[in-house]
Amino acid sequence: MSLPQTAEALVAELQKLLKAEKPDLRTIRKCSIELAKLDPNFQHFAIDAKTLIHLGRDSIKDHTTALLELVKNSYDADAFNVDVDVFCKNNKDSIRVSDNGFGMTKEQLINFWLRIGFSNKRLSKVSELGRRKTGEKGIGRISTDRLGANLELITKTVQDGIVGLKVNWDEFDTEGKDVTDIEVEIFTPTSINIPDKENSPSLTGTEIRVTNLRQPWSKSNIENLYYELSALTSPFRNVKDFTIKLENDVAPEYSKPVDSKFYKASEIEVTTVFDGSNKVFYSIKDKYNKNEIVDTINVEQFYSKVIPADSSSEVELKCGPVEVKLLFFLRDSSAVSGTDLKLSDLKGFLDNNNGVKIYRDNIAVKPYGFPKAQLGYDWLGLGDRKAKDPAGISRSQDYKVSPYQLVGAVFIERDSNLELKDSAAREGLVESEAFFDMKEFVMATLRLLEVHRAEIYPLIEKNREEKAATPTHKEVEKLMSQLTSVKEDLNFIKEEIETKDNVKPISFLKPITNTISKVDVIADDVDSTISELLKWQRVLSGLATMGISSAVFGHETEGSISQFQGSTNTAIKFLKSLPPDIEESLIELDKAIKHSKKVAAWGSYALTRVQREKRSKRNVQIFKTIDGVIKELKPAFEASSIELKINGENLYSKTYQMDIESMLVNLLTNAYTASLLTKKGTRKVLIKVGLEDKDDKKGYYFSVSDTGPGVAKEFRNRIFDPLFSTKNTANNESKSIGTGLGLTIVKSIVDELMGEIILETDPVLKGASFKIWLPKE
Amino acid sequence: MQKFLIVDDNTEQSSTVLKNIKLELAKLNVVFEVEAIFPFVDPNMYNEYITANNVCVVILDEKLNERANPAGTTVNYMGHNLVTLLREKEKDLPIYTITNYGADADVQNIYSEYDHIINRNDFYDHTDKYVPIMVRAAQKFSERSAEDLSEFNDLARQIAGGNNDPKLIEKLKALQTKLELPFTGFDDRKNWLDAYEKEIAELETLKTKLTQKINGK
């Protein structure tokens, strides 16, 4: 509908619209906006609709992160259960996140959810249930755009019943439209599909459905999603505090309740069970012993084991039967070594879950173990306890656990723990004698953990020293000796079978079982030795690559340092001259700043070459990784008038980022040196990245080509040999002879990753072209 | 006016060196032009440029082959190659290199061809030490050039006046070579005179015979 252009006509139109029996609110709004634009004295900022795209789609890393934000919003909305569905095969195309959190009223939907930039997470960092809010402020709504073009949000509250809205994000992705021009439909659905709460239909909740998905989901995406979601869930299986159920048609093995894997990273796990009589069952598991310690003792002995001998020997617990589980974690890389967990994720998990919670009938009892505003609700006083006695583990008798390293649960039941009563005046339990007995039992369990940790600490240190001191050849000798022992056992069995008549198979059961166990141990040892070696090889390759590239590119940095120094000196001279020459001084200072940034960039390049997270096998965005390295080295190439370009497509593969970077840097170093010898025309280096299948195997490639002289046919079968280099003294070349290691490193990585490397002459650039193909995981 | 010539493919770098030299020259109250140029693609152009522009000091960067000129061309020689080429004709011209690669074997192997190999950072820190050295070298070079020309002039006059002393001729030849003057060959001049006199003598003989013939009629 076209509106009048003049103020008078608009006023007349508005009056007509307002007088209508059923006012057309949409046209009234449009008319009012047009009228306001004609105000000669006051105007307003307009916001381009594309701004939302920039805030959302362009700034959220990937679709897994976007979906995770929606689940975090459910967590922050105090949901107990969340259903996450991802269906994108067989003509299905939808993602659904549905929870039984507190939902939104119509007013909240319109005034909060539709208000870009608003987040009530700024008002309070903690939810009503006391959960530490996990989601990013104000991002959740926009993250749906990252997932798909169409959003349908339905929400239910006791006050307003069911209300919904529909958004088509693609409408925002057009030029010249104002955010306010795009309409969001509000509707009143008749039903909502949300999880039940405590086996009854929930009165509140929110269901989000996204369709017209932006990109397909792969098996590794689902695996990654499952892993990320597990950080939000409790490590204790029977807890019903916050459960997530994932359903999908991409990787059906992950269609199940999300289970936390973070308990795998615990150093020590202690469980104590008091059965209400006079017995305490306890079990202690730690990372260093395969055998679990399981024992039963009297309550008095339990307390005497862990509290000073001069205390009363008579103990009576009024709390009733109670079970306590405590998980102790180290907050360093040793905690995740040997697992596929990331340290940053473990820390996130600990930040969300640290503390000892009380679960009655598997539901958490506020506020025990929940963070509150700035201070965690540390009902056991662990923080104060540690602060008063901060002794490290080496002072075993005084050692106390830090609250941020402990994830614990106390399980009680309403019917069995009658003396543990709800407080009428405030949240929590009545702090009666029964409550203090339970508390003391938890503390005794904690002391058991601390004593055990102190006991095993010398063993851990000894193992660390032995491991560090044991050279590889000794490890190999040990493995060989173990294998020899296995061989002897098998030979014995063989002889028994060959030499004895009437041999009963059952008589070999035990020897064979023992042998199998030995083989298992050996296999584990071999695996860990090889893993350790490969890990070291990876790091050393990375360091060697950095050394090689520093020798070649480092001179550029040296030049920048000189220029920085020279320009600064010169600027000072100009300022000191009479009269001071400000203009020249500023010119030199600009140069100094430019070159200082180059130096900083080189420093950053060097520091990021062997970062820890690059050493583990993860889903890597190959093009982005390669592009990142190119951006870092580009200034050095440009300084030598070498055009450096990349062409390719986005692709993911599960691999070691350090390996990709090491191979690339070595090839680029060679290409740089070769390009300096370009006889005619512009010096160029071109990198290509793409998908390529080979022999029915899915894979990808990246290639580096240059305009240099190429590699003579005579040398092609030797260039991967260690210490062989074609960079010898020649006219017009510095005598920085090649190390002969770069391509050897590349080849060894390619072989380990089961890929291929080919050397050809580039048909366009005429120089060498190295192409690496790798299988895609 | 005499000139300091800086040859460097890195214009930021050369302009900083140029400014430092100019500042120092102003303090010393001496008058020299200072110019920074991009290396010539054809290295044979330097001699002509040096002569035509009255260059009395040359300052080279070592890594001349890295950056492209405005036309997008890079040169295929380095500073140490250029020094060797320049020394073929310019034995006494003060040539310095300001570089961070002074310790490279390429540069060290022709150490004696340079008047001085100066570390770049050191130059910036001690411009007040190095520029006076360059100025003195430039002045001596200019004086020697003037002396040589004057001596050449004297010798040429003497020999043209008929002084055939072999020692003088040798000295003149040497100066011709040094000053790159065209070689006129004084031995050739004597031979020419001898040949000329022989021709004259033959003509005289012919004249006598003709006179006799005419008179004997």
Side-chain angles (χ1 to χ4, degrees):
Chain A
M1 178 204 167
S2 64
L3 294 168
Q5 298 294 303
T6 63
E8 295 76 17
L10 281 166
V11 167
E13 181 67 20
L14 257 177
Q15 283 170 338
K16 185 177 143 200
L17 286 166
L18 286 166
K19 283 178 185 161
E21 208 177 300
K22 279 189 180 175
D24 178 355
L25 296 174
R26 288 160 82 186
T27 313
I28 288 171
R29 184 183 160 276
K30 281 181 190 163
C31 216
S32 307
I33 290 172
E34 287 307 309
L35 186 61
K37 284 181 188 170
L38 298 175
D39 185 342
N41 297 315
F42 293 100
Q43 285 298 322
H44 300 86
F45 276 108
I47 298 175
D48 196 282
K50 272 202 155 191
T51 308
L52 257 68
I53 306 299
H54 297 316
L55 285 173
R57 201 188 307 168
D58 294 349
S59 62
I60 292 179
K61 193 173 75 172
D62 51 41
H63 53 327
T64 308
T65 307
L67 182 44
L68 203 61
E69 281 302 320
L70 296 182
V71 180
K72 284 181 182 177
N73 281 350
S74 298
Y75 180 86
D76 296 343
D78 286 341
F80 280 82
N81 310 92
V82 182
D83 290 342
V84 178
D85 300 339
V86 179
F87 292 102
C88 52
K89 289 195 163 177
N90 303 321
N91 295 325
K92 287 186 193 166
D93 173 52
S94 78
I95 289 171
R96 196 180 77 95
V97 177
S98 160
D99 68 61
N100 51 20
F102 45 62
M104 284 180 277
T105 61
K106 188 170 180 179
E107 197 236 335
Q108 285 169 332
L109 199 62
I110 293 169
N111 292 328
F112 295 170
W113 201 92
L114 283 176
R115 189 170 194 77
I116 303 301
F118 174 80
S119 171
N120 58 6
K121 285 167 197 168
R122 283 196 199 98
L123 301 175
S124 167
K125 290 188 168 62
V126 170
S127 73
E128 284 186 22
L129 270 186
R131 287 179 184 169
R132 197 162 154 282
K133 287 186 180 174
T134 55
E136 285 291 324
K137 302 175 197 39
I139 296 295
R141 53 177 85 81
I142 299 169
S143 66
T144 56
D145 169 48
R146 185 66 177 78
L147 293 170
N150 297 99
L151 162 71
E152 188 179 277
L153 183 153
I154 305 174
T155 184
K156 180 179 175 187
T157 53
V158 168
Q159 302 94 303
D160 281 359
I162 304 175
V163 67
L165 56 77
K166 293 181 188 175
V167 181
N168 178 354
W169 291 113
D170 284 350
E171 285 180 15
F172 290 84
D173 197 4
T174 44
E175 299 290 346
K177 269 193 177 177
D178 199 278
V179 155
T180 53
D181 287 340
I182 296 167
E183 292 175 332
V184 172
E185 186 190 333
I186 307 290
F187 69 112
T188 313
T190 50
S191 64
I192 182 171
N193 182 4
I194 52 177
D196 290 344
K197 197 185 256 185
E198 296 170 355
N199 300 318
S200 306
S202 177
L203 297 175
T204 59
T206 301
E207 182 188 6
I208 289 176
R209 188 187 292 273
V210 179
T211 52
N212 210 350
L213 301 182
R214 301 257 181 238
Q215 65 188 99
W217 286 70
S218 65
K219 194 173 166 187
S220 64
N221 292 151
I222 299 291
E223 189 185 353
N224 204 33
L225 177 66
Y226 186 92
Y227 172 82
E228 299 274 1
L229 290 174
S230 67
L232 293 173
T233 55
S234 168
F236 305 110
R237 284 167 198 244
N238 36 0
V239 159
K240 292 175 190 171
D241 201 18
F242 181 71
T243 61
I244 304 169
K245 200 164 138 234
L246 179 60
E247 287 286 338
N248 77 98
D249 60 0
V250 177
E253 64 271 30
Y254 290 102
S255 285
K256 56 182 178 173
V258 173
D259 215 346
S260 171
K261 285 188 183 141
F262 288 94
Y263 66 89
K264 280 192 209 170
S266 66
E267 174 120 331
I268 300 171
E269 184 183 329
V270 171
T271 307
T272 53
V273 179
F274 172 60
D275 67 356
S277 61
N278 65 342
K279 288 242 184 285
V280 174
F281 301 89
Y282 72 87
S283 88
I284 304 176
K285 280 191 261 186
D286 68 57
K287 256 186 169 171
Y288 309 98
N289 295 301
K290 287 207 164 147
N291 299 322
E292 188 181 345
I293 300 171
V294 178
D295 208 344
T296 311
I297 54 172
N298 289 334
V299 168
E300 291 84 4
Q301 282 178 318
F302 176 61
Y303 274 86
S304 71
K305 256 174 114 71
V306 294
I307 57 175
D310 59 359
S311 299
S312 161
S313 60
E314 274 209 24
V315 178
E316 194 193 327
L317 293 173
K318 289 192 163 66
C319 54
V322 64
E323 181 184 345
V324 175
K325 275 190 197 291
L326 297 178
L327 297 172
F328 170 77
F329 295 84
L330 289 174
R331 289 179 76 111
D332 61 37
S333 55
S334 62
V336 295
S337 128
T339 71
D340 53 2
L341 303 169
K342 286 186 267 184
L343 179 60
S344 53
D345 292 344
L346 173 65
K347 284 182 178 175
F349 164 77
L350 287 172
D351 289 341
N352 289 337
N353 290 284
N354 76 74
V356 180
K357 292 188 173 71
I358 299 176
Y359 293 93
R360 183 164 53 200
D361 300 316
N362 293 324
I363 305 285
V365 179
K366 267 177 63 183
Y368 306 102
F370 282 94
K372 218 181 198 184
Q374 287 143 13
L375 301 169
Y377 188 66
D378 184 9
W379 62 288
L380 296 168
L382 299 178
D384 281 345
R385 187 174 171 266
K386 179 71 181 178
K388 281 176 192 156
D389 207 345
I393 184 60
S394 50
R395 280 174 48 199
S396 54
Q397 68 281 14
D398 300 320
Y399 171 68
K400 304 282 185 296
V401 158
S402 172
Y404 301 109
Q405 291 176 289
L406 200 65
V407 176
V410 182
F411 295 99
I412 56 176
E413 288 172 10
R414 200 174 286 279
D415 295 337
S416 313
N417 302 97
L418 298 167
E419 295 301 317
L420 292 170
K421 293 182 175 134
D422 288 323
S423 163
R426 51 183 168 79
E427 62 189 10
L429 303 171
V430 173
E431 291 186 7
S432 60
E433 207 178 328
F435 177 85
F436 287 115
D437 280 351
M438 177 187 67
K439 189 173 168 183
E440 201 43 52
F441 186 81
V442 177
M443 292 309 294
T445 307
L446 181 61
R447 284 192 288 271
L448 189 66
L449 186 153
E450 288 165 347
V451 163
H452 182 75
R453 182 149 198 256
E455 276 171 8
I456 65 171
Y457 180 72
L459 177 67
I460 298 165
E461 281 306 288
K462 192 181 165 209
N463 274 350
R464 252 191 225 142
E465 282 165 11
E466 273 179 8
K467 226 180 169 65
T470 310
T472 310
H473 72 270
K474 290 262 180 223
E475 285 285 332
V476 170
E477 275 172 24
K478 183 180 138 202
L479 288 167
M480 289 308 296
S481 134
Q482 285 170 326
L483 283 168
T484 305
S485 162
V486 166
K487 191 175 162 190
E488 283 165 2
D489 291 344
L490 289 169
N491 272 334
F492 168 76
I493 294 168
K494 183 180 162 220
E495 273 170 25
E496 289 284 296
I497 294 169
E498 282 172 350
T499 58
K500 288 190 177 160
D501 294 330
N502 299 322
V503 170
K504 285 187 187 160
I506 193 76
S507 61
F508 294 116
L509 183 62
K510 198 163 180 197
I512 288 173
T513 308
N514 286 344
T515 308
I516 290 170
S517 299
K518 272 192 197 173
V519 168
D520 272 342
V521 168
I522 293 168
D524 280 345
D525 282 347
V526 165
D527 191 44
S528 86
T529 304
I530 291 175
S531 294
E532 203 55 36
L533 281 169
L534 287 174
K535 206 171 70 173
W536 269 115
Q537 186 186 301
R538 183 159 290 111
V539 171
L540 293 171
S541 289
L543 288 169
T545 300
M546 198 175 84
I548 292 166
S549 63
S550 291
V552 173
F553 298 117
H555 82 269
E556 189 52 37
T557 309
E558 198 181 3
S560 285
I561 293 169
S562 279
Q563 186 61 48
F564 172 72
Q565 184 188 341
S567 286
T568 315
N569 271 345
T570 311
I572 292 171
K573 285 178 190 172
F574 277 121
L575 287 172
K576 282 183 178 174
S577 62
L578 292 168
D581 193 333
I582 308 286
E583 197 182 324
E584 284 291 349
S585 177
L586 286 174
I587 291 170
E588 289 300 313
L589 285 172
D590 277 339
K591 277 195 220 169
I593 290 169
K594 177 177 155 191
H595 284 273
S596 72
K597 284 180 181 167
K598 280 191 177 178
V599 174
W602 180 258
S604 161
Y605 162 81
L607 286 170
T608 57
R609 286 284 65 76
V610 289
Q611 279 173 324
R612 271 190 203 279
E613 52 262 31
K614 292 184 181 179
R615 303 180 214 171
S616 53
K617 198 170 190 179
R618 303 157 52 205
N619 220 12
V620 174
Q621 228 273 49
I622 304 294
F623 182 91
K624 191 176 163 192
T625 299
I626 291 174
D627 195 40
V629 171
I630 286 169
K631 282 192 170 94
E632 285 174 334
L633 290 176
K634 207 165 195 179
F637 277 76
E638 283 174 350
S640 292
S641 306
I642 302 172
E643 199 180 293
L644 183 60
K645 267 190 180 165
I646 176 170
N647 289 334
E649 51 186 307
N650 285 338
L651 61 102
Y652 280 90
S653 181
K654 202 168 182 183
T655 186
Y656 298 92
Q657 188 174 345
M658 185 180 275
D659 285 350
I660 302 292
E661 290 187 1
S662 292
M663 289 188 283
L664 178 69
V665 169
N666 278 300
L667 293 181
L668 283 174
T669 306
N670 283 354
Y672 172 90
T673 313
S675 300
L676 290 177
L677 303 174
T678 301
K679 291 239 161 26
K680 276 184 191 173
T682 320
R683 297 167 174 170
K684 283 184 189 172
V685 173
L686 177 63
I687 297 98
K688 289 183 189 165
V689 183
L691 289 164
E692 186 179 293
D693 293 346
K694 222 181 236 278
D695 303 327
D696 294 331
K697 277 190 230 166
K698 286 206 174 297
Y700 62 97
Y701 74 91
F702 63 92
S703 66
V704 178
S705 309
D706 60 63
T707 49
V711 177
K713 280 187 198 137
E714 294 77 10
F715 297 139
R716 286 191 184 189
N717 60 349
R718 290 205 58 202
I719 50 164
F720 298 111
D721 292 348
L723 305 177
F724 176 83
S725 174
T726 61
K727 293 189 203 95
N728 45 27
T729 319
N731 282 340
N732 309 320
E733 229 185 304
S734 161
K735 276 189 188 164
S736 59
I737 298 171
T739 58
L741 290 173
L743 288 175
T744 308
I745 291 171
V746 172
K747 183 79 169 49
S748 81
I749 298 173
V750 168
D751 288 344
E752 199 212 305
L753 298 177
M754 294 187 287
E756 285 176 23
I757 179 165
I758 305 163
L759 166 61
E760 291 166 330
T761 301
D762 189 276
V764 173
L765 300 183
K766 307 296 180 201
S769 174
F770 285 90
K771 182 177 176 182
I772 293 176
W773 179 88
L774 296 168
K776 191 172 181 305
E777 286 184 48
Chain B
M1 197 190 295
Q2 289 166 319
K3 189 181 276 195
F4 280 37
L5 182 68
I6 302 166
V7 182
D8 195 341
D9 63 332
N10 182 338
T11 50
E12 278 184 333
Q13 190 167 260
S14 62
S15 81
T16 304
V17 170
L18 182 145
K19 287 173 194 176
N20 272 277
I21 293 174
K22 276 188 170 176
L23 280 168
E24 209 52 47
L25 289 174
K27 276 193 210 164
L28 293 169
N29 215 11
V30 292
V31 179
F32 285 93
E33 269 184 58
V34 188
E35 185 187 9
I37 61 167
F38 200 93
F40 294 125
V41 175
D42 177 6
N44 294 317
M45 287 177 63
Y46 285 102
N47 289 108
E48 194 183 313
Y49 192 88
I50 286 168
T51 310
N53 287 273
N54 209 4
V55 172
C56 58
V57 167
V58 172
I59 299 164
L60 304 176
D61 178 43
E62 170 60 13
K63 302 275 185 197
L64 295 174
N65 65 338
E66 289 184 336
R67 286 158 174 81
N69 64 16
T73 314
T74 47
V75 303
N76 60 359
Y77 57 86
M78 309 265 268
H80 66 272
N81 301 124
L82 183 54
V83 162
T84 305
L85 188 73
L86 289 175
R87 282 291 180 228
E88 282 173 15
K89 299 235 171 116
E90 299 286 350
K91 303 286 182 207
D92 293 332
L93 177 66
I95 301 178
Y96 300 86
T97 183
I98 298 179
T99 177
N100 284 328
Y101 302 95
D104 275 12
D106 289 332
V107 176
Q108 288 294 315
N109 283 348
I110 54 160
Y111 185 88
S112 57
E113 303 279 359
Y114 296 94
D115 280 69
H116 208 120
I117 298 169
I118 305 172
N119 175 273
R120 191 172 291 282
N121 294 340
D122 200 36
F123 175 78
Y124 290 135
D125 283 340
H126 300 111
T127 319
D128 57 345
K129 180 175 93 180
Y130 289 110
V131 173
I133 292 172
M134 291 177 185
V135 165
R136 277 200 298 279
Q139 286 168 339
K140 278 189 187 154
F141 174 73
S142 299
E143 280 166 15
R144 246 195 327 269
S145 296
E147 280 169 10
D148 287 343
L149 273 168
S150 175
E151 194 180 345
F152 177 82
N153 213 25
D154 269 343
L155 287 170
R157 279 212 189 112
Q158 285 180 49
I159 290 165
N163 187 341
N164 288 337
D165 183 351
K167 281 186 187 164
L168 284 179
I169 292 169
E170 274 306 308
K171 202 163 183 189
L172 194 67
K173 277 187 203 173
L175 277 170
Q176 264 181 306
T177 308
K178 190 177 177 187
L179 295 168
E180 290 184 359
L181 291 170
F183 191 61
T184 54
F186 292 100
D187 283 346
D188 292 342
R189 182 179 156 80
K190 184 177 177 300
N191 291 341
W192 183 84
L193 277 170
D194 288 344
Y196 178 72
E197 279 171 5
K198 189 180 167 193
E199 294 282 324
I200 298 289
E202 281 176 8
L203 282 171
E204 285 286 351
T205 308
L206 191 59
K207 182 186 165 191
T208 307
K209 278 186 183 171
L210 283 169
T211 307
Q212 280 174 356
K213 203 82 174 171
I214 291 165
N215 290 338
K217 205 156 92 169

